[in-house]
Amino acid sequence: MDVNVVFPRSSATMHYPVLLLLVLLSISNSSSSAAVSSSPTNNYQNTPDNTQTYYYKSYIKSSCNTTTYPSICYKNLNRYALSIQADPFLLCNTSLGLAFKAARSASSTVSKILKNNSSSLTPPAKAVVRDCYGNLKDSVGQIKDSISEMGNLYESSDKDFKMSNVKTWVSAAITNYNTCSDGFEEQSVDGDVRDKINKLVLNAARMTSNALYFINHLVY
């Protein structure tokens, strides 16, 4: 099952509300919401049969296998298999929404680190963390803009232009992650702080990289 499946024009408007719902779900920090979304009962209660469930999960698996980070891809997207079904457009946008969630989580955490460790960080270390926070905020904005652009894709007369914007912004977000990581290699920063930030940035970068893969292979 290849992700390069043509998305039907006639169903584009039908998916726009679904996209908005996915984005809203992706930016929610409610633990109760997370519990509901991961509940087997909620995932399967509306499924006609196990054959269809298996097919949708197999689609996610085969699609993720061709990404740069397949295990991360499948781990995060598998729970949304029944929402994505076998739709490459929804696969692309769900992946992008999860990348946004990872970026926002990293940005929020680094912001807290700056506030809570202000007195213990050396001036050079504080500058590195502050620069990283700026990079992460930029990534959040770029991915958010990409989600918005994808949501309006089928209402545009110039889809190539919109997709070009999305690819540019998502690529820039990845560059920002790399810039953040590079900063910690150039300056000495407390090990615990450095490792915590690098772990979050690496996760966000990998999820964004997978989203970019689906974007680059979307036939629209």
Side-chain angles (χ1 to χ4, degrees):
M1 290 169 281
D2 196 340
V3 295
N4 289 333
V5 179
V6 177
F7 183 74
R9 292 172 180 265
S10 61
S11 58
T13 55
M14 176 184 67
H15 288 307
Y16 181 57
V18 178
L19 170 60
L20 291 178
L21 176 60
L22 288 171
V23 173
L24 289 173
L25 287 173
S26 75
I27 64 177
S28 172
N29 287 323
S30 169
S31 58
S32 60
S33 295
V36 171
S37 66
S38 61
S39 167
T41 301
N42 282 279
N43 281 344
Y44 300 127
Q45 62 184 358
N46 294 323
T47 306
D49 54 58
N50 289 332
T51 301
Q52 189 177 54
T53 300
Y54 176 79
Y55 171 71
Y56 292 153
K57 288 181 175 288
S58 295
Y59 172 76
I60 299 297
K61 183 71 172 178
S62 62
S63 298
C64 284
N65 281 343
T66 57
T67 63
T68 310
Y69 306 101
S71 60
I72 292 175
C73 176
Y74 185 71
K75 178 183 177 181
N76 286 281
L77 287 174
N78 184 50
R79 71 180 65 182
Y80 299 104
L82 296 181
S83 298
I84 296 169
Q85 298 184 5
D87 189 323
F89 184 75
L90 290 180
L91 174 68
C92 182
N93 280 287
T94 304
S95 183
L96 196 56
L98 291 172
F100 173 77
K101 183 178 181 179
R104 202 181 70 158
S105 174
S107 176
S108 175
T109 300
V110 174
S111 176
K112 292 176 183 176
I113 288 175
L114 271 174
K115 294 177 181 178
N116 298 336
N117 297 271
S118 179
S119 60
S120 61
L121 291 172
T122 64
K126 188 182 297 184
V128 170
V129 177
R130 187 180 296 113
D131 287 345
C132 178
Y133 176 56
N135 294 142
L136 293 175
K137 284 204 305 180
D138 288 343
S139 291
V140 170
Q142 288 155 343
I143 298 174
K144 183 178 180 180
D145 288 343
S146 299
I147 291 173
S148 178
E149 198 82 331
M150 288 293 290
N152 296 319
L153 179 64
Y154 290 98
E155 299 174 0
S156 172
S157 59
D158 193 349
K159 297 179 181 62
D160 289 337
F161 176 71
K162 283 190 171 292
M163 285 302 296
S164 177
N165 285 339
V166 171
K167 292 174 183 178
T168 297
W169 294 333
V170 176
S171 296
I174 295 173
T175 299
N176 286 328
Y177 295 136
N178 293 333
T179 301
C180 172
S181 297
D182 290 344
F184 289 98
E185 295 180 4
E186 297 169 2
Q187 292 287 344
S188 177
V189 179
D190 176 77
D192 290 339
V193 170
R194 181 197 61 224
D195 292 345
K196 184 174 184 178
I197 294 176
N198 276 337
K199 182 178 180 180
L200 289 167
V201 171
L202 182 61
N203 178 62
R206 288 177 172 176
M207 292 185 68
T208 306
S209 177
N210 285 341
L212 181 59
Y213 175 87
F214 291 133
I215 291 166
N216 285 335
H217 291 79
L218 179 68
V219 178
Y220 51 91

Short mmCIF file of all heavy atoms in Angstrom, two decimals, residues 185-215:
data_model
loop_
_atom_site.label_atom_id
_atom_site.label_comp_id
_atom_site.label_asym_id
_atom_site.label_seq_id
_atom_site.Cartn_x
_atom_site.Cartn_y
_atom_site.Cartn_z
N GLU A 185 26.43 21.83 21.20
CA GLU A 185 27.74 21.25 20.92
C GLU A 185 28.84 22.31 20.97
O GLU A 185 30.01 22.00 21.17
CB GLU A 185 27.72 20.57 19.55
CG GLU A 185 26.78 19.37 19.47
CD GLU A 185 26.80 18.73 18.09
OE1 GLU A 185 27.60 19.19 17.24
OE2 GLU A 185 26.03 17.77 17.87
N GLU A 186 28.42 23.56 20.76
CA GLU A 186 29.40 24.64 20.71
C GLU A 186 29.64 25.29 22.07
O GLU A 186 30.68 25.94 22.28
CB GLU A 186 28.92 25.70 19.72
CG GLU A 186 28.81 25.19 18.28
CD GLU A 186 28.09 26.16 17.37
OE1 GLU A 186 27.71 27.25 17.85
OE2 GLU A 186 27.91 25.84 16.18
N GLN A 187 28.71 25.12 23.00
CA GLN A 187 28.85 25.72 24.32
C GLN A 187 28.61 24.66 25.40
O GLN A 187 27.83 23.72 25.21
CB GLN A 187 27.85 26.87 24.50
CG GLN A 187 28.13 28.08 23.65
CD GLN A 187 29.34 28.87 24.15
OE1 GLN A 187 29.80 28.69 25.28
NE2 GLN A 187 29.86 29.75 23.30
N SER A 188 29.29 24.82 26.53
CA SER A 188 29.12 23.91 27.64
C SER A 188 27.85 24.26 28.41
O SER A 188 27.68 25.39 28.88
CB SER A 188 30.32 23.99 28.58
OG SER A 188 30.13 23.16 29.71
N VAL A 189 26.94 23.30 28.50
CA VAL A 189 25.68 23.49 29.21
C VAL A 189 25.52 22.32 30.18
O VAL A 189 25.96 21.20 29.89
CB VAL A 189 24.48 23.53 28.23
CG1 VAL A 189 23.17 23.70 28.97
CG2 VAL A 189 24.66 24.63 27.21
N ASP A 190 24.94 22.60 31.34
CA ASP A 190 24.69 21.56 32.34
C ASP A 190 24.15 20.30 31.67
O ASP A 190 23.22 20.33 30.87
CB ASP A 190 23.68 22.07 33.37
CG ASP A 190 23.31 21.00 34.37
OD1 ASP A 190 24.11 20.74 35.28
OD2 ASP A 190 22.22 20.41 34.22
N GLY A 191 24.77 19.15 32.02
CA GLY A 191 24.44 17.89 31.36
C GLY A 191 22.97 17.52 31.40
O GLY A 191 22.40 17.10 30.39
N ASP A 192 22.35 17.66 32.57
CA ASP A 192 20.93 17.29 32.70
C ASP A 192 20.04 18.18 31.84
O ASP A 192 19.11 17.70 31.18
CB ASP A 192 20.50 17.39 34.16
CG ASP A 192 21.13 16.31 35.02
OD1 ASP A 192 21.56 15.29 34.47
OD2 ASP A 192 21.19 16.50 36.26
N VAL A 193 20.33 19.47 31.84
CA VAL A 193 19.55 20.42 31.03
C VAL A 193 19.75 20.12 29.56
O VAL A 193 18.79 20.05 28.78
CB VAL A 193 19.98 21.87 31.34
CG1 VAL A 193 19.34 22.83 30.34
CG2 VAL A 193 19.59 22.24 32.77
N ARG A 194 21.00 19.94 29.17
CA ARG A 194 21.32 19.66 27.77
C ARG A 194 20.63 18.38 27.29
O ARG A 194 20.01 18.36 26.22
CB ARG A 194 22.83 19.52 27.60
CG ARG A 194 23.29 19.24 26.15
CD ARG A 194 24.71 18.71 26.14
NE ARG A 194 24.81 17.46 26.87
CZ ARG A 194 25.78 17.17 27.73
NH1 ARG A 194 26.72 18.05 28.00
NH2 ARG A 194 25.79 15.99 28.34
N ASP A 195 20.74 17.32 28.08
CA ASP A 195 20.17 16.03 27.67
C ASP A 195 18.66 16.08 27.58
O ASP A 195 18.06 15.49 26.67
CB ASP A 195 20.59 14.94 28.66
CG ASP A 195 22.09 14.64 28.61
OD1 ASP A 195 22.74 15.07 27.64
OD2 ASP A 195 22.59 14.01 29.56
N LYS A 196 18.02 16.79 28.51
CA LYS A 196 16.56 16.89 28.50
C LYS A 196 16.08 17.64 27.26
O LYS A 196 15.14 17.21 26.58
CB LYS A 196 16.07 17.61 29.76
CG LYS A 196 14.56 17.68 29.88
CD LYS A 196 14.14 18.27 31.22
CE LYS A 196 12.62 18.24 31.39
NZ LYS A 196 12.21 18.78 32.71
N ILE A 197 16.75 18.73 26.95
CA ILE A 197 16.37 19.52 25.77
C ILE A 197 16.66 18.76 24.49
O ILE A 197 15.81 18.70 23.58
CB ILE A 197 17.09 20.88 25.77
CG1 ILE A 197 16.61 21.75 26.94
CG2 ILE A 197 16.85 21.61 24.45
CD1 ILE A 197 17.35 23.07 27.08
N ASN A 198 17.82 18.14 24.41
CA ASN A 198 18.19 17.41 23.20
C ASN A 198 17.23 16.26 22.91
O ASN A 198 16.90 15.98 21.75
CB ASN A 198 19.62 16.88 23.30
CG ASN A 198 20.66 17.91 22.92
OD1 ASN A 198 20.38 18.86 22.19
ND2 ASN A 198 21.88 17.74 23.41
N LYS A 199 16.76 15.60 23.97
CA LYS A 199 15.81 14.49 23.79
C LYS A 199 14.50 15.00 23.19
O LYS A 199 13.95 14.38 22.25
CB LYS A 199 15.55 13.82 25.14
CG LYS A 199 14.62 12.62 25.05
CD LYS A 199 14.43 11.97 26.41
CE LYS A 199 13.49 10.77 26.32
NZ LYS A 199 13.31 10.13 27.67
N LEU A 200 14.00 16.12 23.69
CA LEU A 200 12.76 16.69 23.18
C LEU A 200 12.92 17.19 21.74
O LEU A 200 12.05 16.97 20.89
CB LEU A 200 12.31 17.84 24.07
CG LEU A 200 11.78 17.47 25.45
CD1 LEU A 200 11.68 18.71 26.33
CD2 LEU A 200 10.41 16.80 25.33
N VAL A 201 14.06 17.84 21.49
CA VAL A 201 14.30 18.38 20.15
C VAL A 201 14.47 17.26 19.14
O VAL A 201 13.96 17.33 18.01
CB VAL A 201 15.55 19.30 20.16
CG1 VAL A 201 15.95 19.70 18.74
CG2 VAL A 201 15.29 20.54 21.00
N LEU A 202 15.18 16.21 19.53
CA LEU A 202 15.38 15.08 18.63
C LEU A 202 14.06 14.41 18.28
O LEU A 202 13.81 14.07 17.12
CB LEU A 202 16.33 14.06 19.28
CG LEU A 202 16.69 12.84 18.44
CD1 LEU A 202 17.40 13.25 17.16
CD2 LEU A 202 17.55 11.87 19.24
N ASN A 203 13.20 14.24 19.28
CA ASN A 203 11.89 13.63 19.02
C ASN A 203 11.06 14.49 18.07
O ASN A 203 10.46 13.98 17.12
CB ASN A 203 11.14 13.44 20.33
CG ASN A 203 9.75 12.86 20.14
OD1 ASN A 203 9.60 11.75 19.65
ND2 ASN A 203 8.73 13.61 20.52
N ALA A 204 11.04 15.80 18.32
CA ALA A 204 10.28 16.71 17.46
C ALA A 204 10.84 16.71 16.04
O ALA A 204 10.09 16.72 15.06
CB ALA A 204 10.30 18.12 18.03
N ALA A 205 12.17 16.69 15.92
CA ALA A 205 12.81 16.70 14.61
C ALA A 205 12.47 15.43 13.83
O ALA A 205 12.19 15.49 12.62
CB ALA A 205 14.31 16.83 14.76
N ARG A 206 12.49 14.31 14.49
CA ARG A 206 12.19 13.04 13.81
C ARG A 206 10.73 12.96 13.39
O ARG A 206 10.42 12.48 12.29
CB ARG A 206 12.56 11.87 14.73
CG ARG A 206 14.06 11.69 14.88
CD ARG A 206 14.42 10.58 15.84
NE ARG A 206 15.86 10.31 15.82
CZ ARG A 206 16.47 9.44 16.61
NH1 ARG A 206 15.76 8.75 17.50
NH2 ARG A 206 17.77 9.24 16.52
N MET A 207 9.84 13.41 14.24
CA MET A 207 8.43 13.40 13.89
C MET A 207 8.15 14.35 12.73
O MET A 207 7.33 14.06 11.84
CB MET A 207 7.57 13.74 15.11
CG MET A 207 7.62 12.66 16.18
SD MET A 207 6.51 12.97 17.57
CE MET A 207 4.92 12.78 16.78
N THR A 208 8.82 15.49 12.74
CA THR A 208 8.64 16.47 11.66
C THR A 208 9.24 15.94 10.36
O THR A 208 8.69 16.15 9.27
CB THR A 208 9.29 17.81 12.03
OG1 THR A 208 8.77 18.24 13.29
CG2 THR A 208 8.98 18.88 10.99
N SER A 209 10.34 15.23 10.47
CA SER A 209 10.96 14.62 9.29
C SER A 209 10.02 13.59 8.65
O SER A 209 9.89 13.53 7.42
CB SER A 209 12.28 13.94 9.68
OG SER A 209 12.87 13.28 8.57
N ASN A 210 9.36 12.81 9.48
CA ASN A 210 8.40 11.84 8.96
C ASN A 210 7.21 12.54 8.29
O ASN A 210 6.72 12.11 7.24
CB ASN A 210 7.90 10.93 10.08
CG ASN A 210 8.92 9.89 10.50
OD1 ASN A 210 9.85 9.60 9.75
ND2 ASN A 210 8.77 9.35 11.69
N ALA A 211 6.76 13.62 8.91
CA ALA A 211 5.65 14.38 8.32
C ALA A 211 6.07 14.95 6.96
O ALA A 211 5.28 14.92 6.00
CB ALA A 211 5.24 15.52 9.25
N LEU A 212 7.30 15.43 6.87
CA LEU A 212 7.78 15.98 5.61
C LEU A 212 7.84 14.90 4.54
O LEU A 212 7.56 15.15 3.37
CB LEU A 212 9.16 16.61 5.80
CG LEU A 212 9.79 17.25 4.56
CD1 LEU A 212 8.91 18.36 4.01
CD2 LEU A 212 11.19 17.78 4.88
N TYR A 213 8.19 13.69 4.95
CA TYR A 213 8.21 12.58 3.98
C TYR A 213 6.83 12.37 3.37
O TYR A 213 6.69 12.25 2.14
CB TYR A 213 8.68 11.28 4.66
CG TYR A 213 8.60 10.10 3.73
CD1 TYR A 213 9.65 9.79 2.88
CD2 TYR A 213 7.45 9.31 3.67
CE1 TYR A 213 9.58 8.72 2.00
CE2 TYR A 213 7.36 8.23 2.81
CZ TYR A 213 8.43 7.94 1.97
OH TYR A 213 8.33 6.89 1.09
N PHE A 214 5.81 12.34 4.21
CA PHE A 214 4.45 12.15 3.70
C PHE A 214 4.02 13.33 2.83
O PHE A 214 3.33 13.15 1.82
CB PHE A 214 3.47 11.96 4.85
CG PHE A 214 3.64 10.67 5.60
CD1 PHE A 214 3.66 10.64 6.99
CD2 PHE A 214 3.77 9.48 4.91
CE1 PHE A 214 3.82 9.45 7.68
CE2 PHE A 214 3.93 8.28 5.59
CZ PHE A 214 3.97 8.26 6.99
N ILE A 215 4.41 14.53 3.22
CA ILE A 215 4.10 15.72 2.43
C ILE A 215 4.74 15.63 1.05
O ILE A 215 4.11 15.92 0.02
CB ILE A 215 4.57 17.00 3.15
CG1 ILE A 215 3.72 17.24 4.41
CG2 ILE A 215 4.51 18.22 2.24
CD1 ILE A 215 4.31 18.27 5.36
#
